[in-house]
Amino acid sequence: MVKPTERQKRLLKHTFIDFQQTSEVIKDPLILEKAEGLYCWDTEGKRYYDAIGGIFVAILGHRHPRVMEAMRRQMERITFAAPLHGVSDVTLDFVEKLGSVTPGNLTYVKPFSGGSESIEGAIKLARQYYKQTGHPGKYKFISVYLSYHGGTLAATAAGGGSKRKAKFEPLMGGFLKVFSPIQYRDRFPSWEEANRFCARMFEDVIVNEDPETVAGVILEPICNTGGMVTPTSEYLQIVREICTRHNVLLIFDEVLAGIARTGDMFAAQTFGVTPDVICSGKALSSGAIPIGALMAREDIADAFYGPVEDGIQFAHGHTFAGNPLACAAGIAVLDEIVEKELDKKARRLGDHLTGRLEDLRRYGVIREVRGKGVLRAVELVRDAATMEPFPPEGKLGDELKVTALQNGLIMRIDADWFAVSPPLIAEEGDIDELGDLIEKSLREALHNLGR
Ligand SMILES: Cc1ncc(COP(=O)(O)O)c(C=O)c1O
């Protein structure tokens, strides 16, 4: 956090900051000027351990040399090819590379410039798919309360968090919600049973709506905004089976969870469930340049391929999608992960990280440590013995936000949980450094609350 100059204050005021009140941000802004590997530095030279790689983006750390070099080389060749009338050779290489690491036969790719674009693309793909495969009435989508699928309007309608959508209502119709297992967990004797019940809710909604009106289920395999909700594999298997039975496309939003952090290239592989479409973004360029992509099953793509007079091509596109620089970065990221087996490393580092987070239970304020691989979250309660939550006016997370930044630690912190996802360049020693920083920040936050 820096003491902003008058000019910085003025310019911050002229900037619409994401989701935050500028008058608050202005008091103590985090203005970064440099980043490398696990760390970034603010304009006063203070170093921060970036435990979420930007915002679940820099999976190889900031400014990874291989990614930088790939972009530098690409800059010497071509940096833009308009998707409307051409494609760059490197974009085709990216399509091949991405298709080689997806589960099942999700080898048909539409590149984008971000996660929201990927979600919008998947929504439009599903609607057009059913229009031209004999089910024109299928247009609705079912997603989960607490989820986040992006900032554009259809993605916002698919999202399940009221704070991020109520201000824009009424949103477009046809987006239905079911409850997240975390909202039902205390009504069932076990997590497994809550998962089973919530998975079956999808079928209840599909049947009650009429399956001939439902196009897709949009699901984050691990839901960050819900507090890194990590379902059982059975939950996703049940949803998979329901979608198949009712001819509904299962769309995994892996914008945040994907690209090796859960211990496999895609969370779908970690849970052993193959969706029909995967939406990706964030870590695909390790933060070097905006990127996104959707990957679809072969037979879905087939419905868009035919004689020009049929007019069945995907009627969708963006100027910067498939940008050559982004594709060069994407190839470098995927090559690095595959060659260095960083998916396996995510499992190993994740086990070590979980051990460190579990150690924090001795403070008596932890309900659960959850996640997969290096994507981990800790749920905070006032009293771990009774599971009593912190009162609204004294949330531990709010205090932790302050102490973490003071200690030079960037995490994703909510009122009742915090999450980390260290880049895969980290070693065990780096995870220990992170564990120490988290513990110090937690101890100080508890102290500030009189504990
Ligand atoms: C799960 C999920 N889906 C979609 C998005 C939207 O991606 P973007 O911000 O790149 O548009 C995000 C962004 O945080 C996300 O976490």
Side-chain angles (χ1 to χ4, degrees), residues 136-157:
K138 278 181 170 287
Y139 75 98
K140 295 176 191 166
F141 292 88
I142 308 172
S143 48
V144 179
Y145 283 117
L146 304 179
S147 63
Y148 180 71
H149 297 296
T152 47
L153 273 175
T156 299

Side-chain angles (χ1 to χ4, degrees), residues 114-117 119 148-151 220 224 253 255-256 282:
S116 304
E117 276 189 14
I119 297 291
Y148 180 71
H149 297 296
E220 287 172 83
N224 166 48
D253 177 348
V255 171
L256 189 146
K282 288 192 186 274

Side-chain angles (χ1 to χ4, degrees), residues 195-371:
N195 272 261
R196 252 171 243 137
F197 181 84
C198 289
R200 288 178 189 137
M201 254 190 242
F202 283 97
E203 180 150 47
D204 295 341
V205 175
I206 292 171
V207 168
N208 278 279
E209 289 291 326
D210 178 356
E212 270 312 305
T213 69
V214 182
V217 160
I218 305 176
L219 203 56
E220 287 172 83
I222 294 180
C223 175
N224 166 48
T225 42
M228 220 55 89
V229 183
T230 309
T232 59
S233 295
E234 189 191 14
Y235 172 90
L236 295 173
Q237 280 156 12
I238 294 172
V239 180
R240 169 69 279 179
E241 195 265 316
I242 292 168
C243 286
T244 305
R245 186 140 33 89
H246 294 289
N247 186 23
V248 166
L249 294 187
L250 178 58
I251 300 164
F252 273 4
D253 177 348
E254 295 220 25
V255 171
L256 189 146
I259 316 300
R261 69 177 85 244
T262 62
D264 295 278
M265 191 60 88
F266 291 98
Q269 292 150 329
T270 302
F271 287 98
V273 174
T274 306
D276 303 304
V277 176
I278 292 180
C279 295
S280 185
K282 288 192 186 274
L284 204 41
S285 73
S286 197
I289 186 164
I291 196 165
L294 74 72
M295 290 77 82
R297 234 176 48 204
E298 188 175 350
D299 57 302
I300 295 172
D302 282 348
F304 294 85
Y305 190 83
V308 70
E309 54 275 18
D310 287 0
I312 55 172
Q313 64 276 14
F314 189 21
H316 180 64
H318 293 280
T319 299
F320 287 105
N323 175 271
L325 285 177
C327 290
I331 293 168
V333 168
L334 296 175
D335 279 343
E336 182 72 6
I337 290 171
V338 171
E339 283 171 27
K340 304 261 169 73
E341 298 190 327
L342 295 180
D343 46 352
K344 287 196 189 120
K345 187 178 180 190
R347 286 177 230 166
R348 181 164 50 80
L349 285 182
D351 288 345
H352 189 61
L353 174 62
T354 305
R356 289 299 310 247
L357 296 173
E358 287 285 352
D359 282 349
L360 300 173
R361 283 192 187 273
R362 65 175 178 276
Y363 291 93
V365 290
I366 289 172
R367 173 162 181 174
E368 197 176 43
V369 177
R370 50 182 176 254

Side-chain angles (χ1 to χ4, degrees), residues 48-185:
Y48 298 82
Y49 190 123
D50 186 357
I52 45 173
I55 184 75
F56 306 101
V57 165
I59 191 73
L60 302 179
H62 292 283
R63 296 175 53 246
H64 190 276
R66 184 172 190 164
V67 182
M68 297 294 103
E69 182 52 29
M71 288 176 70
R72 230 176 270 124
R73 268 190 274 113
Q74 187 58 41
M75 253 186 271
E76 301 299 324
R77 301 175 66 233
I78 182 169
T79 57
F80 184 80
L84 187 62
H85 54 249
V87 65
S88 72
D89 56 351
V90 70
T91 306
L92 295 178
D93 294 341
F94 173 68
V95 165
E96 181 181 42
K97 185 67 60 184
L98 196 52
S100 73
V101 294
T102 48
N105 61 357
L106 276 70
T107 53
Y108 285 71
V109 176
K110 184 144 184 73
F112 292 116
S113 304
S116 304
E117 276 189 14
S118 313
I119 297 291
E120 296 283 329
I123 289 168
K124 288 175 81 173
L125 186 93
R127 284 194 175 173
Q128 190 182 335
Y129 170 72
Y130 281 118
K131 272 207 164 51
Q132 52 201 38
T133 55
H135 301 277
K138 278 181 170 287
Y139 75 98
K140 295 176 191 166
F141 292 88
I142 308 172
S143 48
V144 179
Y145 283 117
L146 304 179
S147 63
Y148 180 71
H149 297 296
T152 47
L153 273 175
T156 299
S162 58
K163 272 200 232 146
R164 290 189 177 182
K165 64 178 182 171
K167 290 191 169 74
F168 311 105
E169 288 171 344
L171 293 163
M172 60 192 291
F175 286 85
L176 308 155
K177 304 288 176 304
V178 297
F179 290 96
S180 162
I182 206 157
Q183 295 172 297
Y184 270 50
R185 65 180 168 177

